[in-house]
Every structure is written in C-alpha cells, then in structure tokens.
Amino acid sequence: MTKISLEMGSGGKLMRDFIDRSIVKTFSNPFLNKLADSALLPNKIGFTTDSYVVDPIFFPGGDIGTLSINGTVNDLIVSGVKPQFLSLSLIIEEGLELDTLNKILRSVKKAADEAGVVIATGDTKVVQQGQGDQIFINTAGVGSVMTEPDLQKIKSGDHIIATGTLGEHSLAIMLAREEFGMEAEAKSDCAPLNYLLPLWKKGVLWMRDITRGGLATVLSELSERLPFSIIIDEDHIPLSSPVQAASELLGIDPLYLACEGRALLVVPKEKTEQLLQEIKKDPKGKSAEVIGTVSDGTGKPGEVLLSTLSGGLRLLEPLTSELLPRIC
Amino acid sequence: MTKISLEMGSGGKLMRDFIDRSIVKTFSNPFLNKLADSALLPNKIGFTTDSYVVDPIFFPGGDIGTLSINGTVNDLIVSGVKPQFLSLSLIIEEGLELDTLNKILRSVKKAADEAGVVIATGDTKVVQQGQGDQIFINTAGVGSVMTEPDLQKIKSGDHIIATGTLGEHSLAIMLAREEFGMEAEAKSDCAPLNYLLPLWKKGVLWMRDITRGGLATVLSELSERLPFSIIIDEDHIPLSSPVQAASELLGIDPLYLACEGRALLVVPKEKTEQLLQEIKKDPKGKSAEVIGTVSDGTGKPGEVLLSTLSGGLRLLEPLTSELLPRIC
C-alpha cells in the first residue's frame, strides 16, 4: 500500500505527480487546475494559501512567523495580485513556551507591516505533546488582481532575470539544524517581494518566487508550459560565497536550493535593461542578474538547458527527491 | 514560565483570554478586533479560516475532510456571508496511507459540492513521523457579504433559537475514541448551514454556529456584548436521547458539548414563529426550538440565566477548561 513520503512535500516532481493524481483529479475546476501560486477569483480577487512547518522555527534571518507572512505575500505578488489581507491559523503543540509564541507573533506582525498586509482573521488549535512539532502556521491571503499574467505573451528572445543570489534560505536552515558540522555566515533571504509589484505595469511578462525545488524546478515548470526551450548561463547565476562554498563542500547543486525572497522574471528583451535597473534599485534586488533567454533555437520545446562554465550544455531536470525536508 | 496548554485551544474562556492578550494585542486592527467568525473586508468580501486537528480523523457521521469544509463554510454563513471559494492546505504526517488521504479528499469534495463552494487553491506539506498526527487540514474561505449583522438591533423580548439537538458531534468523537467504555447510536451533526442563508433576508438578527465550548459558551459571548441578560429555558433545549443518556452517565453538561451543524439565532419576537417554521422545513433544522429570550427584566446585563427544570435560575458560565481536546 502506498504511503505518503517526505518527498511528496518537497516541491519537486514527486509532489507534483501526487498533486496531479490526487488533488487536481479530485477537485478539478478552472481555478485550481492552473496550479498557479494564487487563484484568480471573479471580481479581481486573488486568493492563496500556504502552511508553514519549517524546522527549526528560528533560523538566521527569520523565523516561522516571518516566513508565514512573506511566503504567502510573495505567492500573491508573483501572480499579479496586490496583497491586502491575510488569515493566520496556528497549530500549537502543547508545552510551547508562551514567550516563544509571543516572539513569533511579533515577527508575524513586523513582517505583515513591512508587506503592507492586515491580519484580518485567525484560528488557534492546540494538539497534545508529540502530535505536532512546536508550531505550524497557515496563512491564506487575499488581494486585488493588478494584472493577469499571460504565458502566451512570452516569445523567443525574452530574457530571464533572477532577482538575487540563490539558496540562502536553504543554507540558513541547514546551518540552524547543526547537522552538517559546518559553520558559515549565512542568513535566510526571507523577505517580501512588494518592490516587484510596480514592475507588472512596466512590462514584466511572468514571475514566480523561487521556493521549494529551487531555480531548476521553477524553470522546468515554466518551460513545460512554453513552446520554447530555455537556456540558462551558469556564469550569470548569482550565488553568494557562503552558498557556493557550502554547495561544493556538501556536493549539493545550488540550483535546487530554496529562497524565500527571490523571484524569477520573464521580461521582453527590449525592456531588460530598464527592468533590471528598477530591480537593482531595491536593496533586495541588488544582486539581480539576467540569467538566460527563452529559446534561441537550441534544444527542444519544454527543455531547460544550462550553458555550463566549462562550455557544455546540460539538461536541467526538476527536483525529484527531497534535499531538505521542512524548509518552509 | 508559562507554557501553552490544551485548554488554550478549547474554545473556552482560557482560550479567549490568551487570544485577547497575545493575538489581538499584537495585531490590533478593526477587522480582527471584532473576533467574529469571519472578517468583513472592503468590497463586501467575507474572509475566514480554521485549522482542523480532529482526533480520530474518521468518526461516525463524518471525517476531518467533511469537517474542514463545513466548519469554514458555517463560519461564513453565520457572519452573513455566502460561501464561494475555499483554500485547502494539508499538513500530512509521513507514513499516512495514500488510500486514507484519498478517502479524506473525496469527503472534502463531497462536502464542498454540498455546500456549493469551489476549492480554488491549496498547499501540501509533509512532516516526519511523530511530528504530526496523520493529517491536519486548514481551510480558508471567501465569499460575498449578504448582510452585516448588527448587535445593536437586538432588543429585549427577542427570541433565541437553537436550530437542532446539541452535542452530537462531541458525543460521536467520544465514541470514536473508545475511551469511555460506552456504546451508543450517535453520529456527528457535522453539516453545512446553507439552509440558514435565506433567513438573513427574512429578519434574523444574529447567528453563531455552536462549536467548541458549546451552547453555554456561545450564549456567554453573545450576552457579554449586549446591554441585556439572556434567559434560557432548560426544558426547551433540544437534546437527542443518546446525548442525554451519555451526559448523565459521564456527568457532563451537554450545554458545553460541541456541534458542527447547529446554530444559535437571535430573532425578533414577532418573526419567531415564521422563522422557526422556515428552519424546520430543512431536515437539518427539524429539531429546532425556541430556547430563550433576551432580557425580560431578570438578571443583570451580560448574564446568561438558565431557568432549570426544577424551577430555579442558574448562572451559565462560558467553558473554562477543556472537556475534550481536538474535537475539531
């Protein structure tokens, strides 16, 4: 009998297969079937949800509270929705220190203020010791639809931008777990992407936040839906030195590491320079880079090809199995 | 150092104090501060959320899937909101049988269809074995505001209606846990309250679904916000024989037992008979009763008084400590 495995929550291919087979098959409807980061409801309302089970609940650069706001806010923003109201639902394990909870709630408040959203409704449940893990948080978000991104507008020659260095969130979680016998100066990139919102009106064609599964998975999911291939230049992928060093040390591909404050953008070639400058104006976007191009004739439609430092072309596959469970 | 206890998730007074001190204090804003079942957002949008951690996940009359739809749908309905779209977020413990999950998903689908809502967006997380308990589900709901209930309109002489027999959900959970060495024919009353929606236009002043904390807690929370007392007639409180028998056997007051498909309504005296007939037309409302009156001069403002079978008056307090953890 098949059992649910950690891999099914990884954000990778196994998870998508499971979601396609179980969730989409059961609930099939035009809103859900798009499997976008947010659903676009009638009357220009955007709607999304995420549960956060990150372990540990505090990590360099943030905590489960920060994450539970930024993650949901970013899902709205990359869908063309201005985030406005969030719900906050807590599943607390009996025995959690009230001080710890209050610290998390203050992080939630601070992150909500920074992202300009109001916590409008909530719920609290408590489960017995050993039947949860300190705290799980769910947030759902609603906001007004500013634009409806249309994949059909993406054409050959369009550019791919990564808004910042990759993998810092995953690295921060690894370090916080102290499982890797490794020390490094790294903190999560966890942040709200509100600074990207105005770019929708300036010509951005598509956005996705780079979370579970990393850059490679986001690119694969994009290319699958395009009649083009995508070519990525390895030497333009922005990586901080701690992530580069840790990846080499542990033999991990940073293209599969998660961020919580970075996005992938598709932009029309003629607007690339202007949009890149706009992104770089914000401190969160200062390490943004043009990392690739939509089909230049190389590769088959649906493929993501990495033009490597050594001069070769490598096929990038989506994440299949979990690198790090519970990173968000 | 204070630790979170199961009682803080009970729906009773301890939980309200905790929510007032920690949650409301941190996030204070006009939407959240009302502590209503749903927030009423601009543009006539209603928004609510609940996480479901019921144990066991299958019980007579429903399962965690049924509950996760009906609970959220009912929070919207009693707030004057027509439920339209729900999010569905799963926190699954590694090792759950896929067949079990699919069975729950089918229940979700069936309940969503019955309540006329669309699952528009979702999320799946998997946690390691021993760090969750089979499955927790969060749903958030949005819908259009039909009416904005106004407590100010409640006046002395208005009637209180309970839409059906009380406590069947709690009893079903108790029986399913097999902890009480008790056998009885009981199933949860878990059901959507859509049949009550048209009553908003027919003069109902206020509704609340009777969940954690039971009838006594809902009445206390209502009376606290009124410049009147509330008098309840014990001999009009609808109880099924299994609930009555089990309550006597276990020494439990059924007024504190939870339902998942019953509501408390405040109606103008002159419309009581008409509205009661409307409710009784639906099979879910066939055991509805007028159970009390808003202030007839007896008691102090804010008090709930039970006129007992023996002829006395007993002060009804809200639930303070947990009878049954994880009933929803």
Side-chain angles (χ1 to χ4, degrees):
Chain A
M1 218 176 266
T2 315
K3 288 174 189 281
I4 303 294
S5 66
L6 281 174
E7 282 74 17
M8 289 179 183
S10 67
K13 197 169 173 328
L14 267 168
M15 175 168 161
R16 285 188 59 216
D17 289 347
F18 155 69
I19 287 176
D20 284 343
R21 275 196 317 264
S22 284
I23 313 271
V24 177
K25 201 179 140 204
T26 308
F27 301 109
S28 184
N29 68 63
F31 302 96
L32 187 71
N33 294 3
K34 286 183 187 162
L35 290 181
D37 279 332
S38 308
L40 303 183
L41 308 183
N43 300 319
K44 294 196 166 292
I45 299 165
F47 183 33
T48 193
T49 190
D50 256 327
S51 287
Y52 300 86
V53 299
V54 67
D55 170 36
I57 54 177
F58 295 96
F59 49 82
D63 61 36
I64 191 170
T66 330
L67 199 60
S68 68
I69 297 299
N70 291 335
T72 296
V73 158
N74 292 348
D75 278 345
L76 291 171
I77 291 169
V78 299
S79 306
V81 180
K82 180 180 192 278
Q84 294 170 301
F85 296 96
L86 260 61
S87 63
L88 178 75
S89 181
L90 313 174
I91 299 178
I92 307 171
E93 186 189 15
E94 181 188 15
L96 182 74
E97 304 278 357
L98 185 59
D99 286 352
T100 306
L101 177 64
N102 283 332
K103 194 173 161 191
I104 292 167
L105 293 177
R106 284 192 299 271
S107 294
V108 169
K109 168 66 174 161
K110 197 172 159 223
D113 286 349
E114 192 184 342
V117 293
V118 171
I119 305 294
T121 187
D123 179 50
T124 303
K125 294 288 189 309
V126 181
V127 298
Q128 295 96 325
Q129 224 151 22
Q131 302 192 339
D133 192 16
Q134 298 185 281
I135 185 168
F136 301 144
I137 299 182
N138 175 281
T139 51
V142 296
S144 53
V145 175
M146 298 177 61
T147 187
E148 295 197 29
D150 181 1
L151 280 173
Q152 310 273 354
K153 291 187 184 156
I154 297 179
K155 57 189 187 310
S156 174
D158 287 342
H159 282 145
I160 313 274
I161 294 176
T163 64
T165 49
L166 303 177
E168 275 138 82
H169 178 69
S170 279
L171 181 60
I173 297 295
M174 282 191 236
L175 293 172
R177 285 189 193 158
E178 297 176 349
E179 287 174 356
F180 296 89
M182 193 176 57
E183 279 185 40
E185 280 295 317
K187 55 182 223 175
S188 169
D189 54 280
C190 186
L193 293 172
N194 296 62
Y195 77 99
L196 297 177
L197 264 180
L199 302 191
W200 280 118
K201 302 244 179 238
K202 296 183 178 173
V204 167
L205 299 170
W206 192 82
M207 293 190 199
R208 183 63 46 108
D209 50 339
I210 303 169
T211 56
R212 285 183 288 179
L215 179 72
T217 305
V218 173
L219 284 168
S220 298
E221 292 182 12
L222 169 62
S223 67
E224 272 175 27
R225 299 162 66 196
L226 294 179
F228 308 110
S229 63
I230 294 174
I231 317 295
I232 300 296
D233 289 327
E234 190 171 22
D235 63 347
H236 283 111
I237 292 173
L239 294 177
S240 67
S241 22
V243 167
Q244 204 149 15
S247 297
E248 282 166 19
L249 194 70
L250 301 170
I252 290 173
D253 187 339
L255 302 188
Y256 294 92
L257 294 180
C259 316
E260 286 293 341
R262 310 292 189 210
L264 187 87
L265 275 54
V266 182
V267 302
K269 192 180 179 177
E270 63 279 10
K271 293 188 177 162
T272 305
E273 204 42 47
Q274 182 211 337
L275 290 168
L276 187 66
Q277 291 319 313
E278 292 273 349
I279 295 165
K280 283 174 170 287
K281 264 193 236 163
D282 192 282
K284 296 182 194 82
K286 69 179 190 316
S287 59
E289 291 262 11
V290 178
I291 61 164
T293 312
V294 175
S295 169
D296 59 354
T298 318
K300 292 186 212 126
E303 282 183 348
V304 183
L305 294 165
L306 185 72
S307 168
T308 63
L309 296 171
S310 57
L313 273 182
R314 176 159 77 86
L315 194 64
L316 266 191
E317 302 274 8
L319 179 70
T320 44
S321 69
E322 183 59 279
L323 284 169
L324 274 173
R326 295 180 58 189
I327 51 168
C328 63
Chain B
M1 217 177 269
T2 316
K3 289 174 188 280
I4 303 294
S5 65
L6 282 174
E7 283 75 15
M8 289 179 183
S10 66
K13 198 170 173 323
L14 267 168
M15 175 168 159
R16 285 187 61 217
D17 289 347
F18 156 69
I19 287 175
D20 284 344
R21 274 196 317 264
S22 284
I23 314 270
V24 177
K25 200 178 140 204
T26 308
F27 301 109
S28 184
N29 69 61
F31 302 96
L32 187 71
N33 293 4
K34 286 182 188 162
L35 291 181
D37 279 332
S38 309
L40 303 183
L41 309 182
N43 300 319
K44 294 195 167 292
I45 300 165
F47 184 33
T48 192
T49 190
D50 257 327
S51 287
Y52 299 86
V53 298
V54 67
D55 169 36
I57 55 177
F58 295 95
F59 49 82
D63 61 38
I64 191 169
T66 331
L67 198 60
S68 68
I69 297 299
N70 291 336
T72 296
V73 158
N74 291 348
D75 278 346
L76 292 171
I77 292 168
V78 299
S79 307
V81 179
K82 181 180 191 272
Q84 293 170 303
F85 296 96
L86 260 60
S87 63
L88 178 75
S89 181
L90 313 174
I91 299 178
I92 306 170
E93 186 189 15
E94 181 188 12
L96 182 75
E97 304 278 357
L98 186 59
D99 286 353
T100 306
L101 178 64
N102 283 332
K103 193 172 163 192
I104 292 166
L105 293 177
R106 285 192 298 272
S107 293
V108 169
K109 169 66 173 161
K110 197 171 160 224
D113 287 347
E114 191 183 344
V117 293
V118 171
I119 304 294
T121 187
D123 179 50
T124 303
K125 293 288 189 310
V126 182
V127 298
Q128 295 96 326
Q129 224 151 22
Q131 303 193 336
D133 192 15
Q134 297 185 282
I135 185 167
F136 301 144
I137 299 182
N138 175 281
T139 52
V142 295
S144 53
V145 175
M146 298 175 63
T147 187
E148 295 198 30
D150 181 1
L151 280 173
Q152 310 274 355
K153 290 187 184 155
I154 297 179
K155 57 189 189 308
S156 174
D158 286 343
H159 282 144
I160 314 275
I161 294 176
T163 64
T165 49
L166 302 178
E168 275 138 79
H169 178 68
S170 279
L171 181 60
I173 296 295
M174 282 191 236
L175 293 171
R177 286 191 193 157
E178 298 176 346
E179 287 174 358
F180 296 89
M182 193 175 61
E183 279 186 40
E185 280 295 317
K187 56 182 222 174
S188 169
D189 54 281
C190 186
L193 293 172
N194 297 60
Y195 77 101
L196 297 177
L197 264 180
L199 302 191
W200 280 117
K201 303 243 180 239
K202 295 181 180 174
V204 166
L205 299 170
W206 192 82
M207 291 190 199
R208 183 62 47 107
D209 50 339
I210 303 170
T211 56
R212 285 184 286 179
L215 178 72
T217 305
V218 173
L219 285 169
S220 299
E221 291 183 12
L222 170 62
S223 67
E224 273 175 26
R225 298 163 67 195
L226 293 180
F228 307 111
S229 63
I230 293 174
I231 317 296
I232 299 296
D233 289 326
E234 190 171 20
D235 64 346
H236 283 111
I237 292 173
L239 294 177
S240 68
S241 21
V243 167
Q244 205 149 15
S247 297
E248 282 166 19
L249 194 69
L250 300 170
I252 290 172
D253 188 340
L255 301 189
Y256 293 92
L257 293 180
C259 317
E260 286 293 340
R262 309 292 188 210
L264 187 88
L265 274 54
V266 183
V267 302
K269 192 180 179 178
E270 63 279 11
K271 292 188 178 163
T272 306
E273 205 41 48
Q274 181 211 335
L275 289 167
L276 187 66
Q277 291 319 314
E278 292 273 348
I279 295 165
K280 282 173 171 287
K281 263 193 238 164
D282 192 282
K284 298 183 193 83
K286 69 179 190 314
S287 60
E289 291 262 11
V290 179
I291 61 163
T293 313
V294 175
S295 169
D296 60 352
T298 318
K300 291 185 213 131
E303 282 183 349
V304 183
L305 294 165
L306 185 72
S307 170
T308 63
L309 296 171
S310 56
L313 273 182
R314 176 159 76 86
L315 193 65
L316 265 192
E317 303 273 8
L319 179 69
T320 43
S321 70
E322 182 58 278
L323 284 169
L324 273 174
R326 295 179 58 189
I327 50 167
C328 64

